[in-house]
Amino acid sequence: MGVCLRKQNTVKEENTLLCLNEGLSSTIRNVPIRSIYKLGRILGTGHFGVVKEVQVIGSEEKAAIKFILKDLVEDRINSLKQEIEILKRVDHPNIIRFFEAYEDERYIYLAMELCTGGDLLRLMTKNDHIDENKSKIILRQMLLAINHLHNNNIIHRDLKPENFLFESEDDNAALKLVDFGLSSKFRNRRMSMHKAVGTVYYLAPEMIKGAYNFKCDMWSIGVIMFVMLSGKLPFWSKFDCETCHQILNGAPEFIEPIWENISQEAKNLLSHLLCMNPSDRFSASEALDHPWFNSQPKPRIVMNQFTIDALKEYSKISAFKKEAMNILVKYLSLNEIKSMNALFSDLDEENNGSISMKLLLNSLKNAGSSIAARNEIKEIIKSLDLDKNGKINYSEFLAATYYSKHHIQQEELWLTFLHFDADRKGYITRIDIERAFSRSGHALKEQDIKNIMKEFGKEPGAKIGYDEFERLLKM
Ligand code: PIT
């Protein structure tokens, strides 16, 4: 039968073997993991190894660490590099936040935010099916995450319920996409790829045939939506080959009795997702615009003075403080982030995880601000816009609004200090600062370093203690 898949773990990368340390040294810290984290219970098992809950030593902060046995990834070093690169690049409330990568002789460790609410598969198996309203809330978050990926030229390729985690046990906990072990960057939206990867039930027909693009993720979302609403997989057999046959034979029909109680709008959206021809299939942003999600129109956004002042204040602080704030917001707790997340998602009108200059200016207009005030905000955005795309990303928005509240917590500040003091000397030096910037992809020039040390009132060769660090950031 021509449709059998190559199994995931037999798909070899074409790339030749690379030395781990060589290939990843700028991204990975060579610090003993047990000096930083106390290891806890196993949370789950993913590609290449387990994920454990951990606690940052010397703080209450918890995190999750994925353990990757080096022996298992030897010939896949490039895909691991890519996984880390992708984790660092994505920046969205519905995608897992990545902290750091570490390595020792046997393992690579990926530290990321802790999700304790279990995965979507668990929710699905606990319930016969998920009602339409709840499904809508979940699917919207999935699509927001996928839209962010696709806008950043990343295909996930392995979307399935196990890869969506709930942040907490709360009823309305946020959903987070994880596992970029099979993700791939694409150069343009029409580019086709040729590797059969992923889980059979969620696999798009064109993936089975061999050539596919970012739309394969949209099919998988369709399968997940089908399962959530009906409690049944649309394509199922004990044998992978037979399942693939069913997928290639066309979209499923809504014949089971359960579909009688499901709205036409839901079925209509499903038919645009489980659509055989990828070019006719909905993109994530088209799906988000579907009436199933938009029964109530979005309110007209009026930006409040607080947010404008926050952005203004943040735009004026030094590069070092901005970097430190970007690190600090990764450690903010759920409660601290909640209200800022709500505001961010109101402002993220294009649903792609960033706020555009155009929208900010419009919302200022709505608030009745003067042209002078709007010109001022234009300047602010220009200075904030690190990627020069006229947009403010999620972390920066968090950093700005959090910074302006002037109540930076000790705990978060300490964790940020530890981020710089990677080897736990109790102080940081210019080398620590250079390394921390380089881990987040910013190379510092000699003059930048001199300026940062000057900000601390120090000579380039001096040591910076925690008290000095705290004083500068709270200034
Ligand atoms: C958990 C709990 C948690 C995080 C994870 C799993 C993360 C898994 C993950 C796996 C990957 C990846 C990113 C994240 O690339 O807080 O059960 O392969």
Side-chain angles (χ1 to χ4, degrees), residues 43-44 51 64 66 83 87 96 110 112-115 165 178-181:
L43 291 164
V51 178
K66 177 173 162 181
E83 179 173 356
L87 281 166
I96 196 95
L110 306 184
M112 49 212 146
E113 86 181 284
L114 177 64
C115 292
L165 306 182
V178 298
D179 208 338
F180 293 87

Side-chain angles (χ1 to χ4, degrees), residues 321-339:
K321 273 185 156 183
K322 282 196 189 111
E323 176 73 15
M325 285 308 298
N326 265 280
I327 294 161
L328 190 142
V329 293
K330 289 192 180 195
Y331 298 113
L332 291 179
S333 68
L334 263 177
N335 278 338
E336 286 165 307
I337 285 186
K338 240 180 215 159
S339 65

Side-chain angles (χ1 to χ4, degrees), residues 1 64 82 117 123 129 144 147 189 235 257 266 294 301 330 349 360 388 414 417 437 453:
M1 199 174 290
Q82 180 149 306
L123 181 75
H129 65 105
L144 289 172
N147 199 30
R189 288 194 163 216
F235 313 101
N294 299 325
I301 302 149
K330 289 192 180 195
E349 211 176 34
L360 274 184
K388 302 286 167 244
W414 174 240
F417 180 78
F437 270 76
M453 295 307 281

Side-chain angles (χ1 to χ4, degrees), residues 305 308-309 312 357 360-361 364-365 368-381:
Q305 193 58 39
I308 299 164
D309 289 346
K312 208 186 288 180
M357 165 108 87
L360 274 184
L361 292 173
L364 282 176
K365 219 184 207 167
S369 74
S370 66
I371 294 181
R374 273 179 262 153
N375 281 338
E376 190 182 17
I377 213 80
K378 256 189 209 164
E379 289 308 311
I380 295 173
I381 297 171

Side-chain angles (χ1 to χ4, degrees), residues 397-452:
F397 180 80
L398 282 186
T401 40
Y402 190 69
Y403 179 76
S404 68
K405 283 187 182 162
H406 293 296
H407 59 218
I408 299 177
Q409 305 286 319
Q410 283 293 337
E411 171 82 3
E412 290 136 14
L413 212 51
W414 174 240
L415 290 164
T416 310
F417 180 78
L418 292 183
H419 178 95
F420 286 97
D421 180 19
D423 43 4
R424 303 298 196 258
K425 302 178 293 304
Y427 58 84
I428 56 184
T429 64
R430 56 167 287 165
I431 298 185
D432 295 321
I433 295 175
E434 273 172 8
R435 286 200 181 134
F437 270 76
S438 124
R439 283 198 305 272
S440 22
H442 308 298
L444 288 180
K445 298 198 191 77
E446 186 59 29
Q447 193 53 45
D448 301 328
I449 279 284
K450 279 196 181 136
N451 290 344
I452 291 174

